[in-house]
Structures are given as C-alpha cells and as structure tokens.
Amino acid sequence: MKLKSFIEFSTYGLKTIFFKNTNPILATIILTDYCNLTCKHCAVNNINKIIHTYEDIKEEMVKLYNEGVRILFFCGGETLLWNDSGKNAKDLIVEAKEIGFELVNIVTNGTIDLDIKEADIIFLSIDGTKENHNFIRGNTFDTILENVEKANDSNICVYMAINNRNYKDVEELCELVKNTKNLKGISFNFHTPYEDTEDLSLSREQKIEVVNTIKQLMKEGYPIFNLYSALDYYLDNNWNRPCKQCLVVENKKRFVCGRCVEIDGLCNECGYLFAVEFALLFGGNPKIIYETLKTYLKFV
C-alpha cells in the first residue's frame, strides 16, 4: 500500500472512531446483473440482464469520489462481461484511478481472462474443491485455474462463499491457494440466505466447525484475507449493522452496506465477513484495528 493511501485511510479511521464519522469510505458499483453462470447460491444474476451505461457509471464514480469514497469495487453479475461505448471493465479501473480512488478492486467468476493488472485486487470466486464448486457454479473449475495460470501480473485473491454443501472444503481450498502460482490469498464469506437459496444455509454447529477450521489455518500461516477476531463476532451475531461506511450502488440507487438491507430479516442473517469486519473496525474495536493493519498490508 502506498504511504499516501495509508495516511488517508488512517486519518479517516481516526475521524470515524473518535468523531463518529459515518461518511462512506468504500463503495461497490454494480456494472451489470448479466452473468454467464447461474450459481445455486446467487439471487441477483440475470434478473434484468441490464448493461449499465458508461456515462452513468462514470457519473457515479465522480460523485462517490467527491463524497469521500476512496475504496472502489466493481461487481456484477459477471463484472468482466460489462462493455459500453467502446469501454470495458479494465478501462473503468484505469479511469477510477485517474479520478483519484486509492484502491480499485474487481469481483469475477474467473471464466474470462484474468490478466487484469490494472486492479489492485481481483476477488475470484471459487466455491470449494472441484466437485462442489462445479455443483454450485457449473463446470468451470478447470477453466478458472487455467485462467489463473496465465495471469502472471494480477493480484488474485480467491473468494469463497461457504455453505452446507462445501463447508468441509475450506482446508483443501486453502491448500490449493497456498500452492498455486498467481493466487495470493483467500477470503471467506458465509452463505446469506436470499429467497430460494435457504437450502444452502449452515447450521449453528456447521458454522462453529468452519470458524474453528479457519482460525486454525490462520494460526498455521495460510494466506487468509479475513480478520481472526471478527470470526467470533460473526458466530455470536454481535456487531452493529448496517455498516454505514460502505455503499452498494446499482443503476443510480444506493444501498447502505449491501442490497440485502431492504429484505426483511435478511440483514440479521448476514454472512458477509467484510461487513462484520468493517463494522467492528469503524466502531473502534482495538483487536480489529490491529488485525486490519497486520492483514491488509499483506494483500494490498
């Protein structure tokens, strides 16, 4: 991380903790809901099959930057399917950095070329070992790893959504990440039960088992991009939500923290560990502040 970025984020953190600042620092722009996959846990793909216009996305980027957002994610649908006015997702990353965003990341299912050196981090969805991943996402596991092998200049972090089908794959997937060239780390979320995906929810006992596994793997030095102490808060379902310092933007509509806030009861079943971590961080939790500095400087 550049010194300038570190100073800016530290200043923002101090204002948030000591002066209760709730201005967003992180935003995700949904470029399209169009996707080439129909994953079993996903409730937001191919609803309208809209490719949002370049003009609207550029306007939103400028607004977000002027409002103080400095960490930007591009997401989908499948993010890399977006194109408009002769622009693609790589062009948006370059423009976002020209506007002044400190970190610009992208989320993808990995079925398209992963040579995206423009992004600070590529969050790549792999949902378990080959059998379970292909059950959840279709026959894409080998294609993804082939794309990873060719992406020598990209900073790739695997992004696993843990559910009751793949929860026993955590250790094996961590081993794969550790031993695969061009994969820098792995981050975890737990399944959030959107409508018609409730059958993938984990039991309390399964969550405890997974959390204990992740914590042990962290102790053993696996490259895990999550915060150790936040896992216990997730299990206890004990953090302030929604996280007001984060936004999701889709088609000019804004959601505080994430799109699930508008679904009755779903926020209380949130499995997004980043939401847990940021809520604790901006709440001034000392352990989380320390772990954030220790962890993020490894991956960004």
Side-chain angles (χ1 to χ4, degrees):
M1 182 182 292
K2 297 176 182 177
L3 179 60
K4 174 179 175 292
S5 302
F6 180 79
I7 293 171
E8 185 159 5
F9 293 146
S10 298
T11 301
Y12 174 86
L14 291 171
K15 288 180 180 178
T16 300
I17 293 166
F18 292 109
F19 300 105
K20 308 303 180 186
N21 175 36
T22 59
N23 295 333
I25 186 72
L26 182 152
T28 298
I29 297 179
I30 308 298
L31 302 183
T32 177
D33 72 343
Y34 182 65
C35 190
N36 56 341
L37 305 181
T38 53
C39 304
K40 294 186 181 299
H41 62 267
C42 182
V44 295
N45 66 300
N46 295 313
I47 296 171
N48 300 305
K49 294 189 176 181
I50 292 176
I51 301 286
H52 300 301
T53 68
Y54 166 72
E55 289 78 12
D56 285 347
I57 294 166
K58 178 69 176 290
E59 179 183 347
E60 197 62 66
M61 284 196 290
V62 172
K63 283 182 181 178
L64 290 169
Y65 182 81
N66 290 339
E67 292 167 14
V69 170
R70 292 296 180 268
I71 305 172
L72 188 64
F73 282 74
F74 291 118
C75 197
E78 171 43 43
T79 320
L80 295 178
L81 290 176
W82 181 88
N83 64 83
D84 184 66
S85 302
K87 305 281 188 179
N88 59 32
K90 291 183 181 181
D91 296 316
L92 292 180
I93 296 169
V94 172
E95 290 203 35
K97 292 191 173 184
E98 289 173 352
I99 289 169
F101 290 97
E102 300 290 344
L103 294 175
V104 185
N105 307 320
I106 194 165
V107 181
T108 176
N109 63 32
T111 59
I112 299 170
D113 181 18
L114 290 170
D115 182 20
I116 316 169
K117 59 182 177 296
E118 296 85 357
D120 289 294
I121 303 177
I122 301 166
F123 285 97
L124 166 65
S125 295
I126 301 180
D127 285 331
T129 51
K130 183 174 180 177
E131 179 183 358
N132 284 327
H133 171 92
N134 285 346
F135 171 81
I136 294 165
R137 291 185 167 267
N139 188 22
T140 59
F141 190 86
D142 290 340
T143 298
I144 292 167
L145 290 186
E146 288 169 7
N147 287 336
V148 166
E149 187 175 0
K150 294 181 286 187
N152 293 317
D153 296 321
S154 300
N155 185 18
I156 304 174
C157 182
V158 168
Y159 188 64
M160 179 182 179
I162 303 170
N163 56 52
N164 64 21
R165 168 80 187 209
N166 64 11
Y167 74 100
K168 289 188 177 293
D169 290 353
V170 165
E171 184 171 358
E172 193 170 341
L173 190 56
C174 282
E175 192 70 31
L176 174 72
V177 170
K178 182 179 179 181
N179 294 314
T180 300
K181 187 187 78 163
N182 298 335
L183 292 180
K184 187 170 182 180
I186 181 168
S187 63
F188 297 105
N189 281 322
F190 288 81
H191 179 66
T192 298
Y194 287 89
E195 186 176 2
D196 297 327
T197 72
E198 295 90 348
D199 60 312
L200 290 171
S201 298
L202 293 105
S203 67
R204 170 75 178 171
E205 291 72 24
Q206 289 169 333
K207 290 177 182 178
I208 292 171
E209 180 181 337
V210 174
V211 164
N212 288 338
T213 297
I214 295 172
K215 290 170 75 173
Q216 181 59 39
L217 292 168
M218 286 178 163
K219 289 178 181 177
E220 293 174 13
Y222 283 83
I224 296 174
F225 192 7
N226 290 104
L227 306 183
Y228 186 94
S229 298
L231 290 163
D232 290 328
Y233 286 90
Y234 165 73
L235 271 185
D236 293 339
N237 207 15
N238 179 27
W239 74 93
N240 291 327
R241 69 199 90 177
C243 182
K244 295 179 180 178
Q245 291 81 7
C246 302
L247 291 175
V248 172
V249 181
E250 183 175 17
N251 198 22
K252 298 187 178 181
K253 183 175 181 179
R254 295 188 175 195
F255 305 86
V256 175
C257 196
R259 288 176 285 185
C260 59
V261 296
E262 294 197 343
I263 303 172
D264 288 344
L266 193 57
C267 194
N268 197 50
E269 298 183 70
C270 177
Y272 293 105
L273 288 181
F274 283 151
V276 183
E277 293 164 356
F278 281 123
L280 294 167
L281 173 66
F282 297 134
N285 184 294
K287 279 188 177 180
I288 296 296
I289 294 170
Y290 169 73
E291 290 174 15
T292 299
L293 292 171
K294 180 181 174 183
T295 303
Y296 276 59
L297 291 177
K298 290 181 185 176
F299 293 95
V300 179

Short mmCIF file of all heavy atoms in Angstrom, two decimals, residues 30-37 44-46 51 74-83 89 106-114 116 123-125 137:
data_model
loop_
_atom_site.label_atom_id
_atom_site.label_comp_id
_atom_site.label_asym_id
_atom_site.label_seq_id
_atom_site.Cartn_x
_atom_site.Cartn_y
_atom_site.Cartn_z
N ILE A 30 -22.33 -1.85 -9.11
CA ILE A 30 -22.79 -2.99 -9.90
C ILE A 30 -22.83 -2.56 -11.36
O ILE A 30 -23.62 -1.69 -11.74
CB ILE A 30 -24.18 -3.47 -9.44
CG1 ILE A 30 -24.20 -3.70 -7.93
CG2 ILE A 30 -24.58 -4.73 -10.21
CD1 ILE A 30 -23.26 -4.76 -7.43
N LEU A 31 -21.99 -3.16 -12.18
CA LEU A 31 -21.91 -2.76 -13.59
C LEU A 31 -23.02 -3.38 -14.42
O LEU A 31 -23.48 -2.78 -15.40
CB LEU A 31 -20.56 -3.18 -14.18
CG LEU A 31 -19.30 -2.64 -13.50
CD1 LEU A 31 -18.06 -3.11 -14.26
CD2 LEU A 31 -19.34 -1.12 -13.40
N THR A 32 -23.42 -4.58 -14.04
CA THR A 32 -24.45 -5.32 -14.78
C THR A 32 -24.93 -6.46 -13.91
O THR A 32 -24.19 -6.93 -13.04
CB THR A 32 -23.90 -5.88 -16.11
OG1 THR A 32 -24.91 -6.64 -16.75
CG2 THR A 32 -22.68 -6.77 -15.88
N ASP A 33 -26.18 -6.90 -14.14
CA ASP A 33 -26.62 -8.13 -13.47
C ASP A 33 -26.53 -9.32 -14.43
O ASP A 33 -26.84 -10.45 -14.06
CB ASP A 33 -28.02 -7.99 -12.89
CG ASP A 33 -29.11 -7.97 -13.96
OD1 ASP A 33 -28.79 -7.74 -15.14
OD2 ASP A 33 -30.28 -8.16 -13.60
N TYR A 34 -26.07 -9.05 -15.66
CA TYR A 34 -25.92 -10.12 -16.63
C TYR A 34 -24.76 -11.02 -16.23
O TYR A 34 -23.69 -10.55 -15.84
CB TYR A 34 -25.67 -9.54 -18.03
CG TYR A 34 -25.54 -10.60 -19.10
CD1 TYR A 34 -26.61 -11.41 -19.43
CD2 TYR A 34 -24.33 -10.79 -19.75
CE1 TYR A 34 -26.49 -12.39 -20.40
CE2 TYR A 34 -24.20 -11.76 -20.73
CZ TYR A 34 -25.29 -12.57 -21.05
OH TYR A 34 -25.15 -13.54 -22.00
N CYS A 35 -24.97 -12.34 -16.31
CA CYS A 35 -23.92 -13.28 -15.93
C CYS A 35 -23.98 -14.49 -16.86
O CYS A 35 -25.04 -14.88 -17.35
CB CYS A 35 -24.11 -13.73 -14.48
SG CYS A 35 -22.69 -14.69 -13.85
N ASN A 36 -22.81 -15.10 -17.08
CA ASN A 36 -22.72 -16.29 -17.91
C ASN A 36 -22.91 -17.57 -17.10
O ASN A 36 -22.85 -18.67 -17.65
CB ASN A 36 -21.39 -16.33 -18.67
CG ASN A 36 -20.19 -16.24 -17.75
OD1 ASN A 36 -20.30 -15.81 -16.61
ND2 ASN A 36 -19.03 -16.66 -18.24
N LEU A 37 -23.13 -17.43 -15.78
CA LEU A 37 -23.38 -18.57 -14.92
C LEU A 37 -24.71 -18.39 -14.18
O LEU A 37 -25.23 -17.28 -14.09
CB LEU A 37 -22.25 -18.74 -13.89
CG LEU A 37 -20.82 -18.86 -14.42
CD1 LEU A 37 -19.84 -19.04 -13.26
CD2 LEU A 37 -20.69 -20.01 -15.41
N VAL A 44 -29.07 -12.66 -7.55
CA VAL A 44 -29.04 -11.34 -8.20
C VAL A 44 -28.57 -11.39 -9.65
O VAL A 44 -28.35 -10.35 -10.26
CB VAL A 44 -28.14 -10.36 -7.40
CG1 VAL A 44 -28.73 -10.10 -6.03
CG2 VAL A 44 -26.71 -10.89 -7.28
N ASN A 45 -28.44 -12.57 -10.23
CA ASN A 45 -27.93 -12.65 -11.60
C ASN A 45 -29.07 -12.75 -12.61
O ASN A 45 -30.10 -13.37 -12.37
CB ASN A 45 -27.00 -13.85 -11.78
CG ASN A 45 -27.75 -15.17 -11.63
OD1 ASN A 45 -28.33 -15.45 -10.59
ND2 ASN A 45 -27.72 -15.99 -12.65
N ASN A 46 -28.87 -12.09 -13.74
CA ASN A 46 -29.76 -12.22 -14.90
C ASN A 46 -31.23 -11.91 -14.58
O ASN A 46 -32.13 -12.49 -15.17
CB ASN A 46 -29.65 -13.64 -15.50
CG ASN A 46 -28.28 -13.90 -16.08
OD1 ASN A 46 -27.74 -13.07 -16.82
ND2 ASN A 46 -27.69 -15.02 -15.73
N ILE A 51 -26.98 -3.96 -19.00
CA ILE A 51 -25.61 -3.44 -19.02
C ILE A 51 -25.74 -1.94 -18.74
O ILE A 51 -26.23 -1.19 -19.59
CB ILE A 51 -24.94 -3.67 -20.38
CG1 ILE A 51 -24.90 -5.16 -20.72
CG2 ILE A 51 -23.55 -3.05 -20.40
CD1 ILE A 51 -23.90 -5.98 -19.95
N PHE A 74 -15.78 -3.00 -8.35
CA PHE A 74 -16.68 -3.23 -9.47
C PHE A 74 -17.18 -4.66 -9.38
O PHE A 74 -16.40 -5.60 -9.16
CB PHE A 74 -15.98 -3.00 -10.80
CG PHE A 74 -15.63 -1.57 -11.07
CD1 PHE A 74 -14.30 -1.18 -11.24
CD2 PHE A 74 -16.61 -0.59 -11.14
CE1 PHE A 74 -13.97 0.15 -11.48
CE2 PHE A 74 -16.29 0.73 -11.39
CZ PHE A 74 -14.97 1.11 -11.55
N CYS A 75 -18.50 -4.83 -9.55
CA CYS A 75 -19.10 -6.14 -9.33
C CYS A 75 -20.21 -6.37 -10.36
O CYS A 75 -20.59 -5.47 -11.10
CB CYS A 75 -19.63 -6.19 -7.89
SG CYS A 75 -19.99 -7.84 -7.28
N GLY A 76 -20.76 -7.60 -10.39
CA GLY A 76 -21.86 -7.95 -11.29
C GLY A 76 -22.96 -8.64 -10.52
O GLY A 76 -23.06 -8.48 -9.30
N GLY A 77 -23.72 -9.50 -11.23
CA GLY A 77 -23.46 -10.25 -12.44
C GLY A 77 -22.02 -10.67 -12.59
O GLY A 77 -21.30 -10.82 -11.63
N GLU A 78 -21.64 -10.91 -13.83
CA GLU A 78 -20.22 -11.13 -14.11
C GLU A 78 -19.63 -9.83 -14.61
O GLU A 78 -19.93 -9.35 -15.70
CB GLU A 78 -20.03 -12.24 -15.13
CG GLU A 78 -18.60 -12.39 -15.63
CD GLU A 78 -17.54 -12.28 -14.52
OE1 GLU A 78 -17.74 -12.87 -13.44
OE2 GLU A 78 -16.54 -11.59 -14.72
N THR A 79 -18.77 -9.27 -13.78
CA THR A 79 -18.22 -7.94 -14.00
C THR A 79 -17.52 -7.80 -15.35
O THR A 79 -17.66 -6.77 -16.03
CB THR A 79 -17.21 -7.61 -12.88
OG1 THR A 79 -17.72 -8.10 -11.64
CG2 THR A 79 -16.97 -6.13 -12.77
N LEU A 80 -16.80 -8.82 -15.75
CA LEU A 80 -15.99 -8.72 -16.96
C LEU A 80 -16.80 -8.84 -18.24
O LEU A 80 -16.26 -8.68 -19.34
CB LEU A 80 -14.88 -9.77 -16.93
CG LEU A 80 -13.84 -9.58 -15.82
CD1 LEU A 80 -12.81 -10.69 -15.84
CD2 LEU A 80 -13.17 -8.22 -15.90
N LEU A 81 -18.10 -9.10 -18.13
CA LEU A 81 -18.96 -9.08 -19.30
C LEU A 81 -19.40 -7.66 -19.65
O LEU A 81 -19.94 -7.42 -20.73
CB LEU A 81 -20.21 -9.95 -19.07
CG LEU A 81 -19.97 -11.46 -19.01
CD1 LEU A 81 -21.28 -12.17 -18.66
CD2 LEU A 81 -19.42 -11.98 -20.32
N TRP A 82 -19.14 -6.72 -18.74
CA TRP A 82 -19.59 -5.34 -18.98
C TRP A 82 -18.78 -4.71 -20.11
O TRP A 82 -17.55 -4.80 -20.15
CB TRP A 82 -19.44 -4.49 -17.73
CG TRP A 82 -19.93 -3.08 -17.95
CD1 TRP A 82 -21.19 -2.61 -17.80
CD2 TRP A 82 -19.13 -1.97 -18.41
NE1 TRP A 82 -21.25 -1.28 -18.14
CE2 TRP A 82 -20.01 -0.86 -18.52
CE3 TRP A 82 -17.79 -1.81 -18.75
CZ2 TRP A 82 -19.57 0.40 -18.94
CZ3 TRP A 82 -17.35 -0.56 -19.18
CH2 TRP A 82 -18.24 0.53 -19.27
N ASN A 83 -19.48 -4.06 -21.02
CA ASN A 83 -18.84 -3.18 -22.00
C ASN A 83 -19.89 -2.21 -22.53
O ASN A 83 -21.07 -2.56 -22.66
CB ASN A 83 -18.19 -3.97 -23.14
CG ASN A 83 -19.21 -4.72 -23.96
OD1 ASN A 83 -19.84 -4.16 -24.86
ND2 ASN A 83 -19.40 -6.00 -23.63
N ALA A 89 -14.32 -3.29 -18.51
CA ALA A 89 -14.07 -3.15 -17.08
C ALA A 89 -12.65 -2.66 -16.78
O ALA A 89 -12.44 -1.88 -15.83
CB ALA A 89 -14.34 -4.47 -16.37
N ILE A 106 -11.90 -5.62 -8.21
CA ILE A 106 -12.92 -6.18 -9.10
C ILE A 106 -13.27 -7.59 -8.62
O ILE A 106 -12.42 -8.31 -8.11
CB ILE A 106 -12.42 -6.19 -10.56
CG1 ILE A 106 -13.56 -6.44 -11.53
CG2 ILE A 106 -11.26 -7.14 -10.75
CD1 ILE A 106 -13.21 -6.10 -12.98
N VAL A 107 -14.54 -7.96 -8.76
CA VAL A 107 -15.02 -9.29 -8.39
C VAL A 107 -15.43 -10.01 -9.66
O VAL A 107 -16.14 -9.47 -10.50
CB VAL A 107 -16.22 -9.19 -7.42
CG1 VAL A 107 -16.70 -10.58 -7.02
CG2 VAL A 107 -15.86 -8.37 -6.19
N THR A 108 -14.99 -11.27 -9.83
CA THR A 108 -15.26 -12.01 -11.06
C THR A 108 -15.41 -13.49 -10.77
O THR A 108 -14.89 -14.01 -9.77
CB THR A 108 -14.13 -11.79 -12.08
OG1 THR A 108 -14.38 -12.59 -13.23
CG2 THR A 108 -12.77 -12.16 -11.51
N ASN A 109 -16.11 -14.20 -11.67
CA ASN A 109 -16.23 -15.65 -11.53
C ASN A 109 -15.06 -16.39 -12.16
O ASN A 109 -14.99 -17.62 -12.08
CB ASN A 109 -17.57 -16.16 -12.06
CG ASN A 109 -17.77 -15.93 -13.56
OD1 ASN A 109 -16.83 -15.94 -14.35
ND2 ASN A 109 -19.01 -15.71 -13.95
N GLY A 110 -14.15 -15.69 -12.82
CA GLY A 110 -12.91 -16.29 -13.29
C GLY A 110 -13.00 -17.05 -14.59
O GLY A 110 -12.01 -17.64 -15.03
N THR A 111 -14.15 -17.02 -15.25
CA THR A 111 -14.29 -17.75 -16.51
C THR A 111 -13.80 -16.96 -17.71
O THR A 111 -13.77 -17.46 -18.83
CB THR A 111 -15.76 -18.15 -16.74
OG1 THR A 111 -16.57 -16.97 -16.78
CG2 THR A 111 -16.25 -19.07 -15.62
N ILE A 112 -13.43 -15.69 -17.46
CA ILE A 112 -12.92 -14.79 -18.50
C ILE A 112 -11.49 -14.43 -18.14
O ILE A 112 -11.09 -14.50 -16.98
CB ILE A 112 -13.83 -13.55 -18.61
CG1 ILE A 112 -15.25 -13.99 -19.00
CG2 ILE A 112 -13.31 -12.54 -19.63
CD1 ILE A 112 -16.29 -12.89 -18.91
N ASP A 113 -10.72 -14.03 -19.10
CA ASP A 113 -9.30 -13.68 -18.93
C ASP A 113 -9.05 -12.89 -17.64
O ASP A 113 -9.67 -11.85 -17.41
CB ASP A 113 -8.85 -12.87 -20.15
CG ASP A 113 -7.38 -12.49 -20.08
OD1 ASP A 113 -6.63 -13.11 -19.31
OD2 ASP A 113 -6.99 -11.57 -20.82
N LEU A 114 -8.13 -13.39 -16.82
CA LEU A 114 -7.84 -12.77 -15.52
C LEU A 114 -6.58 -11.91 -15.55
O LEU A 114 -6.08 -11.51 -14.50
CB LEU A 114 -7.68 -13.85 -14.44
CG LEU A 114 -8.97 -14.58 -14.05
CD1 LEU A 114 -8.66 -15.78 -13.17
CD2 LEU A 114 -9.92 -13.63 -13.33
N ILE A 116 -5.59 -8.88 -15.43
CA ILE A 116 -6.17 -7.57 -15.10
C ILE A 116 -5.21 -6.87 -14.13
O ILE A 116 -5.50 -6.68 -12.95
CB ILE A 116 -7.58 -7.70 -14.46
CG1 ILE A 116 -8.42 -8.72 -15.22
CG2 ILE A 116 -8.29 -6.35 -14.45
CD1 ILE A 116 -9.70 -9.10 -14.52
N PHE A 123 -10.92 -10.25 -6.81
CA PHE A 123 -11.56 -11.24 -5.95
C PHE A 123 -12.22 -12.28 -6.86
O PHE A 123 -13.19 -11.99 -7.57
CB PHE A 123 -12.57 -10.58 -5.02
CG PHE A 123 -11.91 -9.83 -3.90
CD1 PHE A 123 -11.71 -8.47 -3.98
CD2 PHE A 123 -11.47 -10.50 -2.77
CE1 PHE A 123 -11.08 -7.78 -2.96
CE2 PHE A 123 -10.84 -9.82 -1.73
CZ PHE A 123 -10.64 -8.45 -1.83
N LEU A 124 -11.67 -13.49 -6.83
CA LEU A 124 -12.02 -14.55 -7.75
C LEU A 124 -12.85 -15.62 -7.02
O LEU A 124 -12.40 -16.22 -6.05
CB LEU A 124 -10.74 -15.17 -8.30
CG LEU A 124 -10.86 -16.51 -9.02
CD1 LEU A 124 -11.69 -16.37 -10.29
CD2 LEU A 124 -9.46 -17.05 -9.34
N SER A 125 -14.05 -15.86 -7.50
CA SER A 125 -14.94 -16.81 -6.84
C SER A 125 -14.57 -18.26 -7.17
O SER A 125 -14.65 -18.69 -8.31
CB SER A 125 -16.39 -16.55 -7.27
OG SER A 125 -16.83 -15.30 -6.82
N ARG A 137 -21.51 -23.90 -9.24
CA ARG A 137 -21.28 -22.89 -10.28
C ARG A 137 -21.28 -23.42 -11.71
O ARG A 137 -21.08 -22.65 -12.64
CB ARG A 137 -19.94 -22.18 -10.01
CG ARG A 137 -19.98 -21.30 -8.78
CD ARG A 137 -18.71 -20.52 -8.59
NE ARG A 137 -18.92 -19.48 -7.59
CZ ARG A 137 -19.28 -18.24 -7.85
NH1 ARG A 137 -19.45 -17.84 -9.10
NH2 ARG A 137 -19.47 -17.37 -6.88
#
